[in-house]
């Protein structure tokens, strides 16, 4: 027999695919869509609106019990604090100077909120406590404003607003010792 030339067979190479880059891109896409999904959610803020009790000739009539619930706190310089309930011209609780802390403003806020909650329950509107109006003067320290916000959080009052416009009568009242 003759030696036949043998066929030369090429070696089969095992091909490997490097997936490192694809995994990195996949994780970046997952993170991107998670962030976009979180940012696209609607943010909701509670909004306190007046009650609409009845309708007259197709128009809404708003109940006017706001001054019974409003409690104003005036913040002055040198840790001065004046509070009153209702309107300053016809207050339900007369303006009085009061101290910060648990025996001062906190005790007063607890008392007034409890009285207002009881009064609202008698009117058939349970759960409506006082609405606090905080008025810091230009000479008031930031610490005093934070202290009042802490007291409101401690007392569980959920309706409050910070306003920076003083009437001339309120400016005179906060200036008195």
């Amino acid at each position: 027999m003759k030696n036949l030339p043998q066929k030369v067979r090429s070696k089969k190479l095992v091909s490997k695919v490097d997936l490192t880059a694809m995994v990195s891109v996949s994780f970046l896409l997952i993170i991107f869509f998670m962030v976009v999904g979180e940012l696209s959610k609607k943010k909701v803020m509670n909004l306190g609106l007046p009650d609409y009790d009845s309708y007259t000739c197709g128009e809404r009539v708003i109940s006017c019990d706001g001054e019974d619930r409003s409690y104003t706190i005036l913040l002055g310089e040198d840790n001065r604090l004046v509070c009153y309930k209702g309107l300053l011209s016809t207050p339900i609780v007369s303006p009085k100077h009061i101290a910060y802390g648990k025996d001062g403003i906190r005790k007063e806020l607890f008392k007034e909120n409890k009285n207002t909650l009881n009064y609202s329950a008698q009117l058939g509107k349970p759960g409506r406590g006082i609405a606090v109006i905080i008025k810091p003067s230009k000479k008031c320290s930031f610490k005093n404003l934070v202290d009042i916000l802490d007291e409101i959080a401690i007392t569980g009052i959920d309706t409050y607003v910070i306003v920076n416009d003083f009437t001339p009568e309120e400016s005179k009242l906060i200036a008195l010792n």
Side-chain angles (χ1 to χ4, degrees):
M1 247 182 146
K2 278 183 167 182
N3 281 344
L4 293 172
Q6 290 184 336
K7 291 186 180 177
V8 177
R9 294 194 178 206
S10 61
K11 288 187 176 180
K12 298 244 177 179
L13 297 174
V14 178
S15 59
K16 287 185 177 181
V17 178
D18 188 14
L19 296 178
T20 306
M22 190 181 295
V23 170
S24 298
V25 169
S26 299
F27 278 119
L28 286 174
L29 285 172
I30 290 170
I31 291 170
F32 172 76
F33 285 115
M34 286 175 59
V35 169
V36 168
E38 189 66 30
L39 292 178
S40 66
K41 288 182 183 175
K42 293 184 179 185
K43 305 293 185 229
V44 178
M45 186 171 88
N46 291 332
L47 180 63
L49 296 174
D51 286 341
Y52 294 104
D53 289 338
S54 61
Y55 292 91
T56 306
C57 299
E59 296 179 14
R60 291 181 177 186
V61 176
I62 300 173
S63 68
C64 298
D65 63 345
E67 61 189 53
D68 293 339
R69 291 182 56 219
S70 69
Y71 191 80
T72 306
I73 300 174
L74 306 174
L75 306 175
E77 62 181 325
D78 298 330
N79 297 331
R80 282 198 198 119
L81 184 66
V82 176
C83 55
Y84 61 91
K85 187 173 183 181
L87 301 174
L88 187 57
S89 57
T90 56
I92 297 169
V93 174
S94 299
K96 56 185 166 185
H97 290 271
I98 199 162
Y100 288 92
K102 66 178 183 177
D103 293 328
I105 189 66
R106 187 181 308 169
K107 186 176 180 181
E108 188 71 20
L109 287 172
F110 271 128
K111 181 182 82 169
E112 290 302 328
N113 196 33
K114 182 178 178 185
N115 291 344
T116 305
L117 284 169
N118 291 338
Y119 179 71
S120 295
Q122 291 173 357
L123 292 178
K125 299 177 183 178
R128 295 185 50 146
I130 59 174
V132 178
I133 303 168
I134 304 168
K135 292 188 174 185
S137 69
K138 291 180 181 176
K139 296 180 180 177
C140 166
S141 71
F142 185 71
K143 179 189 178 304
N144 290 346
L145 180 61
V146 171
D147 289 344
I148 287 298
L149 291 174
D150 286 343
E151 296 296 340
I152 287 175
I154 291 169
T155 55
I157 296 170
D158 57 353
T159 307
Y160 62 93
V161 65
I162 300 172
V163 183
N164 65 353
D165 58 340
F166 268 66
T167 63
E169 295 83 15
E170 288 172 334
S171 297
K172 289 177 188 174
L173 186 63
I174 199 72
L176 295 174
N177 286 331

